[in-house]
Amino acid sequence: MADMVLDKVIVDSPGRINIIGEHTDYNLGYVLPTAIDKRIRFTLERNNTDTQCEISSKGYEKALVVDLKHIAPSNIQWENYILGVLYEIYKRSKALKGFQCTIESDLPVGSGVSSSAALECGLAFGLNELFDLGLSKHEIVALSRDAEHNYVGTKCGIMDQFASVMSKKDHIILLDCKSMEHTYVPFAIAPYKLVLLNSNVSHSLASSEYNTRRKECEEGAAILQKKYPYVASLRDANLKMIETCKTALSPKVLNRCTYVVEENNRVLDAVEALKKGDLKTLGTLMYQTHKGLRTLYEVSCPELDFLVDFTTNMEEVLGARLMGGGFGGCTINLVHEDAADAFIKSASEAYEKEFNIKLTSFEGHPSAGTTLL
């Protein structure tokens, strides 16, 4: 594109689901995500100014106006995802100039499908194309993650941004968050499908507890490191090590470490199960993950537990668990395609009766990452 100046680009940036491997990415472990066919669309145009930018989102009346030379965090949370990306790009390249951007989304916000990563990555990807900034996909992933750390204050791992940019249609990604090595695994689960039930609750604990979990895991890794010097993160630990250091760990930190090590093992087991077409084992691993998130990692909530428990005696559902950071959002369910509509109907009725909240649902189809239209 170096010899061709673009005046306008349109980019689609997807949300993501994660089959298994929750809260392992910031512990440099394994995850199994993919982009889905719900996305944010960005229409970006140069406006022939050096530093004036205007970003408007359908559904928000007020546009965000930014001067690239004076970027500072906002009190309005969603704006920080945008501001963080602009800050990280402008820091790297002064080739970024003024632009106008319109955003449209069909991603369910707050459902754990990472609309934030789609927002960050789509904007970075679009600006990279519009101004020919020469950023690689890996650089776009990294700067989007840095934006979330530095401007939003969530010390997330790399999974969401990686899945948003790097996904491949009909595949899931086995991602090693330590080395960034990744393998595309074909996702052939017919006659089953992935159904996401959105609890439509978002408990305010989510963001503060996320950073707390990260600290607890780091504390555990530091204690293990005293006995096993090569343990730089929980990724390098195993259950035997945790057992030998048990007395040095608080009960809470012991639980967090145990969960993370077990979950890393489950991701690798899930990939083997998928390769063999053993969906029953995949479903069992999903249930085990939910149990770990509920009892050891303590990031579930009554609404999510109800939705998972609701499935446990259903032949047509092989597995279910909470997906995402926790304290609300979605459960991800492995459901027989013939029973999917009836399952959604019965779960919705039971959930509304229990909590007086309406459930929403959507399917997760593995799709391509951020693309230029």
Side-chain angles (χ1 to χ4, degrees):
M1 296 253 177
D3 54 351
M4 183 179 133
V5 176
L6 295 174
D7 289 320
K8 179 177 178 176
V9 298
I10 300 174
V11 166
D12 271 356
S13 190
R16 66 99 192 97
I17 54 174
N18 184 27
I19 312 304
I20 201 161
E22 215 63 82
H23 288 276
T24 47
D25 63 342
Y26 55 82
N27 288 296
L28 303 185
Y30 298 102
V31 289
L32 204 58
T34 175
I36 55 170
D37 54 345
K38 292 196 179 299
R39 39 196 66 220
I40 300 176
R41 177 163 291 180
F42 298 78
T43 305
L44 295 134
E45 294 180 74
R46 293 170 180 257
N47 64 8
N48 301 316
T49 69
D50 278 346
T51 61
Q52 294 303 306
C53 312
E54 187 176 304
I55 301 100
S56 56
S57 173
K58 295 200 172 177
Y60 285 89
E61 281 175 24
K62 190 170 157 280
L64 170 61
V65 179
V66 187
D67 183 333
L68 293 173
K69 284 187 175 163
H70 305 286
I71 303 172
S74 164
N75 296 325
I76 300 165
Q77 183 75 332
W78 79 270
E79 292 183 353
N80 285 319
Y81 295 105
I82 305 277
L83 294 165
V85 168
L86 295 179
Y87 174 79
E88 294 297 336
I89 293 180
Y90 200 59
K91 198 165 75 174
R92 288 164 172 82
S93 172
K94 296 299 180 276
L96 179 64
K97 302 289 184 199
F99 66 90
Q100 271 176 292
C101 172
T102 310
I103 301 168
E104 289 176 77
S105 175
D106 66 354
L107 270 180
V109 176
S111 59
V113 295
S114 211
S115 50
S116 55
L119 194 56
E120 294 153 356
C121 296
L123 181 64
F125 192 97
L127 292 173
N128 187 45
E129 295 290 337
L130 186 64
F131 293 102
D132 194 27
L133 302 176
L135 297 167
S136 70
K137 282 187 171 183
H138 280 275
E139 286 172 313
I140 289 169
V141 168
L143 78 83
S144 297
R145 189 242 352 240
D146 293 347
E148 193 145 339
H149 282 200
N150 300 329
Y151 263 65
V152 182
T154 303
K155 300 292 182 188
C156 61
I158 200 79
M159 173 178 71
D160 297 349
Q161 292 82 4
F162 196 96
S164 195
V165 174
M166 307 293 285
S167 287
K168 185 174 163 183
K169 194 177 188 314
D170 298 327
H171 290 70
I172 52 177
I173 309 171
L174 171 61
L175 171 64
D176 178 338
C177 297
K178 184 180 183 182
S179 67
M180 289 294 116
E181 283 177 20
H182 58 287
T183 315
Y184 292 101
V185 180
F187 195 61
I189 60 166
Y192 286 81
K193 56 165 72 169
L194 294 173
V195 173
L196 287 100
L197 299 179
N198 187 354
S199 67
N200 288 313
V201 296
S202 182
H203 294 288
S204 56
L205 286 166
S207 50
S208 60
E209 288 291 328
Y210 190 99
N211 290 343
T212 302
R213 291 298 174 281
R214 186 171 181 141
K215 280 200 193 95
E216 288 163 350
C217 291
E218 286 166 356
E219 185 187 320
I223 291 167
L224 293 172
Q225 196 179 42
K226 287 175 188 165
K227 187 165 176 137
Y228 304 99
Y230 58 87
V231 174
S233 70
L234 290 180
R235 154 58 184 278
D236 306 316
N238 59 41
L239 292 174
K240 198 175 171 187
M241 291 176 189
I242 293 172
E243 184 59 37
T244 60
C245 297
K246 206 170 172 177
T247 51
L249 299 164
S250 71
K252 192 176 274 187
V253 170
L254 173 66
N255 282 345
R256 308 300 189 244
C257 294
T258 303
Y259 165 77
V260 171
V261 170
E262 288 179 345
E263 183 72 347
N264 272 325
N265 294 338
R266 279 192 286 267
V267 175
L268 299 178
D269 290 345
V271 171
E272 287 312 305
L274 271 168
K275 285 177 179 171
K276 291 176 190 159
D278 182 0
L279 298 182
K280 204 167 180 195
T281 296
L282 176 63
T284 301
L285 292 166
M286 289 168 71
Y287 279 127
Q288 287 172 2
T289 292
H290 186 77
K291 189 182 175 191
L293 289 167
R294 181 181 192 165
T295 59
L296 297 175
Y297 220 66
E298 297 181 276
V299 292
S300 193
C301 61
E303 295 89 349
L304 294 171
D305 291 339
F306 177 86
L307 289 172
V308 171
D309 291 344
F310 181 75
T311 68
T312 47
N313 295 318
M314 292 182 164
E315 272 179 39
E316 63 271 29
V317 183
L318 294 183
R321 66 175 193 85
L322 80 83
M323 190 190 74
F327 304 105
C330 285
T331 62
I332 181 167
N333 304 267
L334 189 56
V335 185
H336 197 287
E337 58 191 16
D338 294 345
D341 291 345
F343 165 67
I344 291 165
K345 187 174 184 289
S346 61
S348 300
E349 286 169 358
Y351 184 72
E352 191 171 358
K353 191 178 171 191
E354 184 74 18
F355 295 105
N356 201 25
I357 300 169
K358 286 202 184 304
L359 206 58
T360 44
S361 65
F362 55 99
E363 289 177 19
H365 300 289
S367 69
T370 305
T371 42
L372 184 66
L373 297 186

